Amino acid sequence: TSLRISQFTCPILSQLVITPVQVLGLDFYNRPLASMMDRIRFQLANYTSIVGARISRVAPAYGIGGIGNTYLRNQWRIFCQRRKERNTTTTTS
């Protein structure tokens, strides 16, 4: 359970930190002459909408997809182990 919670929340929570850094970099590139106060105002005015959009893109792919991928990989591993055990017991009998 804790693995699933962390797989879902870590990509989402990382967006809270990563988004301002990326937006600041884009702002430096697109508005090289803007003052630092203009940059901070831009960050504050658009933070929630940008983070919300990024979370809506990241959550399904890395959160839900990560949980699904882990589940399917574990099921496949169990299937392969049982098949190998079955083949080994049939061969030795």
Side-chain angles (χ1 to χ4, degrees):
T1 307
S2 61
L3 175 65
R4 290 184 181 148
I5 291 171
S6 66
Q7 279 183 312
F8 187 74
T9 56
C10 283
I12 291 172
L13 293 177
S14 68
Q15 292 304 312
L16 300 175
V17 176
I18 293 170
T19 299
V21 175
Q22 184 178 15
V23 170
L24 183 63
L26 290 170
D27 195 32
F28 272 110
Y29 180 79
N30 290 320
R31 300 185 315 156
L33 302 177
S35 69
M36 199 57 179
M37 280 310 296
D38 286 342
R39 295 183 198 286
I40 292 171
R41 278 190 217 106
F42 178 76
Q43 289 272 349
L44 293 174
N46 298 307
Y47 180 77
T48 54
S49 63
I50 294 171
V51 169
R54 288 176 61 110
I55 287 174
S56 67
R57 286 183 57 219
V58 167
Y62 293 100
I64 298 168
I67 292 169
N69 185 33
T70 302
Y71 172 78
L72 292 173
R73 185 183 63 231
N74 290 338
Q75 293 300 314
W76 179 253
R77 188 175 293 133
I78 291 168
F79 171 78
C80 290
Q81 287 173 345
R82 287 182 182 161
R83 190 167 129 194
K84 183 178 178 182
E85 290 170 2
R86 200 175 329 121
N87 288 342
T88 324
T89 54
T90 359
T91 311
T92 57
S93 298

